Structure formats: structure tokens, C-alpha cells
Amino acid sequence: MEFYELKNKVIDQGGEHHFFDPDTLKFFGERLSDMKVLKNKVQVTDVCGEVHTCYCVSAKRRKNWNGPCKPYTHYHYFDAETFCHVIV
């Protein structure tokens, strides 16, 4: 799946209306142009212990609250059926 196809499904079907907003992205130091969907779906366990099959979005994050501001890769997970953001 292409990134912008997934983005539209997350907004329309997953109900994550603010996830890709410019202000949200700016707060976390991310850009749409630096995001991509990884090739294979992955299985992740969320914070409640439920297992999900997910699309994994790789994002370069330019803001770090824990130390020097070095860009690093951060991963976001979206359920492959519901397109909801999965917190791991």
C-alpha cells in the first residue's frame, strides 16, 4: 500500500482526523514527506495486550525531548482492518 492511500484510509475509516494535521506533525517534529509505509505488514501487541496485524509507517522525527535534537526513525502502527492507530 502506498503512503497517501493509507493516510486517506486512516482519516476516512480509522477516525484519526488529527494524526496527519500540520500542527500535530510539527509538534512531534515529523513531516509527511519523510513518511513511508514499510513493505510487509507486522504483528504488534498494543498496550492492552491485544495482537494486531498492522501497516507500519516509518517517520523521521526531528524533535527529541530526551536529549540532543538528532533526527531518528520512529514507527507508527495502523491496524490493517480498522485503520486505527495502534499504541505499542
Side-chain angles (χ1 to χ4, degrees):
M1 178 173 295
E2 297 294 323
F3 172 73
Y4 284 97
E5 180 184 356
L6 178 63
K7 175 185 173 267
N8 291 334
K9 288 187 178 195
V10 167
I11 292 169
D12 295 339
Q13 297 175 22
E16 303 288 340
H17 302 288
H18 297 292
F19 190 86
F20 296 107
D21 283 349
D23 289 338
T24 304
L25 293 171
K26 185 177 180 180
F27 178 81
F28 288 105
E30 297 178 352
R31 298 178 188 159
L32 289 178
S33 61
D34 290 333
M35 293 184 172
K36 65 181 179 177
V37 178
L38 299 185
K39 191 165 130 178
N40 298 319
K41 294 179 193 172
V42 296
Q43 287 217 332
V44 296
T45 304
D46 67 13
V47 294
C48 297
E50 295 180 38
V51 177
H52 299 265
T53 301
C54 296
Y55 291 104
C56 182
V57 174
S58 168
K60 185 183 286 184
R61 191 170 271 188
R62 291 174 171 76
K63 192 172 191 180
N64 187 353
W65 294 275
N66 296 327
C69 188
K70 287 183 177 178
Y72 65 98
T73 303
H74 183 77
Y75 298 100
H76 300 285
Y77 301 97
F78 296 94
D79 190 283
E81 293 180 20
T82 64
F83 297 100
C84 291
H85 186 220
V86 177
I87 307 296
V88 294

